Amino acid sequence: AVCQTAVSGKQGGIEVKIPLTVPMWIMAALPILLLIVCMTVLKWSAVKAALAGMCVSLIGGAFFYQGGAALLAVEAGKSLWNALIIILIVWTAILLYQVSQTAGAFSVIRQRMRSLMPNELLLVLFMGWIFESFLQGITGFGVPVAVGAPLLLGIGVSPAWAVILPLLGQAWGNTFGTLAAAWDALAMAAGLSAGGELYARTALQTALMLWVWNLMAGLLICWFYGKKQALKKGLPAVLLLSAIQGGGEALLSQVSPVLCCFLPACASLLAAVLLAKTGLYREAWRVEDSGIMNRQTVQTDAPEAEPDMSLMQAFMPYVVLAVLALVVLAVPPVTQLLGRVKLGFPVPQTQTGYDHVNAGSDCYAPISIFTHASVFLLASAAAGFVYYRRRSWIGSGGLAQILKQTTQRTRPSALAVLALVAMSGFMSGTGQTMILARGIAAVLGRGYIFVAPFIGLLGTFITGSNMSANILFGNFQLTTAQLLAVSPAPVLAAQTAGASIGSVISPSKILLGTTMVHLEGQEGGIMRKLLLCTLPAAVLLGVMTVLLAGLGT
């Protein structure tokens, strides 16, 4: 029984013994439950909800989990650093948006893309799913949401849905995207050796689970756009594009996990453009009463007159972003050369009263200065500004105005990001996160196999990162599978596939999206809609995990 159990394990050669009791488990769950309730039921802003969750995690860590003042101070410092990394992405993403908006690029994109793809449903699928998949394949770290939301706003999608759609569209690429950073983290945490049988089976089963979500994302976007009418019209496109993306990833997972998301995502870009030329999608078509389109009003921040700008010129900063990321991250010699310059700081080893150890580091969470996502965004914004300024699409004094607006829009989200990251740090550093997962395993026994995807989802919800979730829970999932005498492959696959789906409801990513479209304070309503999509998907992955475990694969 949960009340009579203790969590034991080894950390750095020290015996860890945290009592696994009902009060301890409740204290571990309380920050997350409070965050969700405050955002979705009480409709608090992300800032207020995050501060409440952070305070509870701090109190629980100090008084229940015996985290001393030194440990909590170190975790606070680490959280400040981790939050700064995220805030850099937010600031540079908004900077890129402001440059394009000031130049009038979004009005051009809206008009030119409608001419290129007169079928509005295909256009929404392209801008909310396919383009985000491409960005997730090469950059990740919230860039698909930061870039996709304003682009969707530009083609007439209402603000809330401009946040929801890219969150749905990018999730399938979360594990093998960013050149498989999250997958490598899982392999490291679980001790999977490249070329080994377990490595290959786990990669394939992960890709199959992600394919399920990929297909669901395309169908969901159709449903939200126009219910049954849009499902019928969009089904051929969704099936083809999902076969390219999900099926391509499954095949390439056995060849090159590093490129198994990026290459199919690129192929789907081309396929979507070609679909626009076919008889089914080349004619103008739209659902007049679509629930996600803004038919009544014109964006107040759009320029009065559309500049004499081509579609390629309007997309120029985003082309620069894609090319930079591709050259820097996909060419190993360039990656290795630029990746040598890292910025971090030393942190000491800390330990709770229950001997839960947090390893020290000479260079904690180093930023690779020239390969970080914020650098690509900054370079793209700078290139766009210079290009648009030389063509007089941005007037004199434009730079000062852009910087002012960027800073003003970043400031409200910075506190929420800091509070969310601090909550994660206090929970992880004091052992609350691991107790939360192990308590579920202790109660469910073999039934734990079904909830393995939810553990991954929980990890990304807390940390905002599939990679961090895999580092946090990868070894735990492996150990649990071994104790239950089942194959680790489906359980590990469920971990990272669930973590991918968790990126849809990650408060930090939702906050990033709302910041981009001026919806600060409305994160709770968006989370409610997304929970209705992600929880059934996690249940489906749980069923797949049970079936695969039953087959012994």
Side-chain angles (χ1 to χ4, degrees), residues 8 36 67 96 108 133 135 162 173 183 193 198 217 277 291 318-319 333 341 368 401 462 492 510 520:
S8 299
I36 295 173
L96 176 59
V108 175
S133 299
L135 292 174
W183 168 255
S193 300
L198 181 58
K277 307 299 181 183
Y318 303 101
V319 173
V341 183
S368 296
Q401 186 65 23
I462 295 172
L492 291 173
I510 294 174
E520 294 89 343

Side-chain angles (χ1 to χ4, degrees), residues 47 83 87 90 409-420 511 515:
V47 176
I87 293 168
V90 175
R409 293 187 58 186
T410 304
R411 194 178 297 123
S413 63
L415 181 58
V417 169
L418 178 58
L420 287 168
L511 180 64
T515 301

Side-chain angles (χ1 to χ4, degrees), residues 68-209:
L71 182 148
L72 294 173
V74 169
E75 290 301 325
K78 289 158 65 175
S79 298
L80 182 61
W81 175 251
N82 290 330
L84 176 62
I85 295 173
I86 298 173
I87 293 168
L88 281 174
I89 295 175
V90 175
W91 190 86
T92 50
I94 295 175
L95 179 67
L96 176 59
Y97 166 80
Q98 290 295 156
V99 167
S100 297
Q101 177 60 41
T102 303
F106 287 119
S107 65
V108 175
I109 290 172
R110 179 168 57 250
Q111 297 301 322
R112 302 289 194 272
M113 284 301 297
R114 287 187 177 279
S115 299
L116 181 65
M117 292 186 175
N119 184 293
E120 189 174 70
L121 173 58
L122 184 63
L123 176 60
V124 170
L125 285 169
F126 181 86
M127 300 297 283
W129 176 31
I130 304 305
F131 189 59
E132 277 71 20
S133 299
F134 168 75
L135 292 174
Q136 184 62 40
I138 194 66
T139 57
F141 298 106
V143 173
V145 180
V147 172
L151 289 176
L152 283 164
L153 202 67
I155 63 169
V157 177
S158 60
W161 289 103
V163 178
I164 292 171
L165 298 191
L167 284 166
L168 295 173
Q170 55 83 37
W172 77 276
N174 245 252
T175 290
F176 294 109
T178 321
L179 301 179
W183 168 255
D184 287 342
L186 178 70
M188 177 195 68
L192 302 180
S193 300
E197 181 185 356
L198 181 58
Y199 183 97
R201 281 193 287 118
T202 304
L204 178 60
Q205 291 178 27
T206 299
L208 292 175
M209 291 183 182

Side-chain angles (χ1 to χ4, degrees), residues 104-391:
F106 287 119
S107 65
V108 175
I109 290 172
R110 179 168 57 250
Q111 297 301 322
R112 302 289 194 272
M113 284 301 297
R114 287 187 177 279
S115 299
L116 181 65
M117 292 186 175
N119 184 293
E120 189 174 70
L121 173 58
L122 184 63
L123 176 60
V124 170
L125 285 169
F126 181 86
M127 300 297 283
W129 176 31
I130 304 305
F131 189 59
E132 277 71 20
S133 299
F134 168 75
L135 292 174
Q136 184 62 40
I138 194 66
T139 57
F141 298 106
V143 173
V145 180
V147 172
L151 289 176
L152 283 164
L153 202 67
I155 63 169
V157 177
S158 60
W161 289 103
V163 178
I164 292 171
L165 298 191
L167 284 166
L168 295 173
Q170 55 83 37
W172 77 276
N174 245 252
T175 290
F176 294 109
T178 321
L179 301 179
W183 168 255
D184 287 342
L186 178 70
M188 177 195 68
L192 302 180
S193 300
E197 181 185 356
L198 181 58
Y199 183 97
R201 281 193 287 118
T202 304
L204 178 60
Q205 291 178 27
T206 299
L208 292 175
M209 291 183 182
L210 292 172
W211 191 356
V212 171
W213 173 257
N214 177 275
L215 179 60
M216 286 184 63
L219 295 176
L220 282 169
I221 291 173
C222 289
W223 176 261
F224 291 140
Y225 174 78
K227 302 296 189 294
K228 293 180 180 179
Q229 185 181 359
L231 271 178
K232 181 179 178 181
K233 186 70 173 179
L235 186 60
V238 170
L239 291 177
L240 174 62
L241 295 170
S242 181
I244 293 171
Q245 291 186 339
E249 182 171 79
L251 290 174
L252 289 174
S253 70
Q254 304 302 288
V255 180
S256 173
V258 172
L259 295 175
C260 72
C261 172
F262 177 65
L263 292 180
C266 290
S268 68
L269 278 176
L270 177 60
V273 173
L274 294 176
L275 274 172
K277 307 299 181 183
T278 64
L280 192 58
Y281 297 106
R282 67 170 172 243
E283 302 296 331
W285 185 90
R286 73 179 194 175
V287 175
E288 291 297 334
D289 59 347
S290 170
I292 71 173
M293 302 303 294
N294 189 353
R295 304 287 190 208
Q296 287 73 39
T297 60
V298 178
Q299 296 183 67
T300 57
D301 56 355
E304 295 182 0
E306 182 181 315
D308 184 18
M309 184 188 300
S310 70
L311 181 61
M312 183 57 68
Q313 289 172 321
F315 267 115
M316 193 279 292
Y318 303 101
V319 173
V320 172
L321 172 66
V323 172
L324 273 176
L326 181 60
V327 171
V328 172
L329 298 179
V331 181
V334 178
T335 307
Q336 293 168 8
L337 177 63
L338 296 180
R340 291 176 182 173
V341 183
K342 298 180 184 292
L343 180 63
F345 62 94
V347 296
Q349 177 176 291
T350 56
Q351 182 175 331
T352 70
Y354 289 117
D355 295 332
H356 178 85
V357 175
N358 300 294
S361 173
D362 293 332
C363 189
Y364 172 75
I367 297 179
S368 296
I369 295 176
F370 298 115
T371 61
H372 190 255
S374 63
V375 175
F376 301 145
L377 289 165
L378 179 61
S380 303
F385 175 81
V386 171
Y387 182 78
Y388 293 147
R389 180 72 184 89
R390 291 184 64 180
R391 292 180 174 268

